[in-house]
Amino acid sequence: QVQLVESGGGLVQPGGSLRLSCAASGNRFSISTMGWYRAAPGKQRELVATITRDGITNYADSVKGRFTISSDNAKNTVYLQMNSLKPEDTAVYSCYIRSLWTYWGQGTQVTVSS
């Protein structure tokens, strides 16, 4: 069974930084893309960032210039470095991988507040 384990969420002050990690195991097919979604109460789910197996990245306009997605293909791990965090970034962040099927992590809470 494919398993995605996320870590790195928590509480941080505005202007601070967090680094999220998502490690996938059990996958037996080539991964085409990995990425992160976020969902905040009362707001539409947003695709934050994606990265392809060849390293092509895309970002939502709301995080461009502040967040960086990266991956370690040998470890099937995707990261999200979040800098200059704002209260509007508060959400549940979920990672995913796309291969033969799409798999999702359990989600991790990120709270930006003073």
Side-chain angles (χ1 to χ4, degrees):
Q1 176 76 14
V2 174
Q3 188 88 351
L4 278 66
V5 179
E6 299 159 328
S7 62
L11 175 65
V12 66
Q13 293 183 345
S17 298
L18 284 174
R19 184 173 182 260
L20 305 183
S21 300
C22 176
S25 62
N27 186 55
R28 297 294 181 264
F29 301 92
S30 177
I31 297 174
S32 60
T33 63
M34 297 183 287
W36 295 87
Y37 273 92
R38 68 183 182 185
K43 295 188 177 181
Q44 186 176 347
R45 186 183 67 175
E46 180 181 29
L47 181 59
V48 176
T50 62
I51 184 168
T52 68
R53 63 177 174 269
D54 52 345
I56 299 174
T57 59
N58 282 285
Y59 298 93
D61 289 340
S62 57
V63 307
K64 195 171 298 182
R66 299 186 298 119
F67 291 10
T68 302
I69 188 171
S70 61
S71 64
D72 185 336
N73 291 332
K75 297 181 178 180
N76 285 337
T77 301
V78 61
Y79 307 93
L80 187 67
Q81 179 67 46
M82 305 183 294
N83 299 326
S84 301
L85 283 162
K86 305 174 180 179
E88 308 93 87
D89 296 317
T90 296
V92 175
Y93 287 71
S94 301
C95 67
Y96 75 91
I97 61 170
R98 185 180 300 277
S99 58
L100 185 62
W101 297 280
T102 300
Y103 303 93
W104 296 86
Q106 77 282 5
T108 184
Q109 178 70 46
V110 172
T111 302
V112 184
S113 176
S114 59

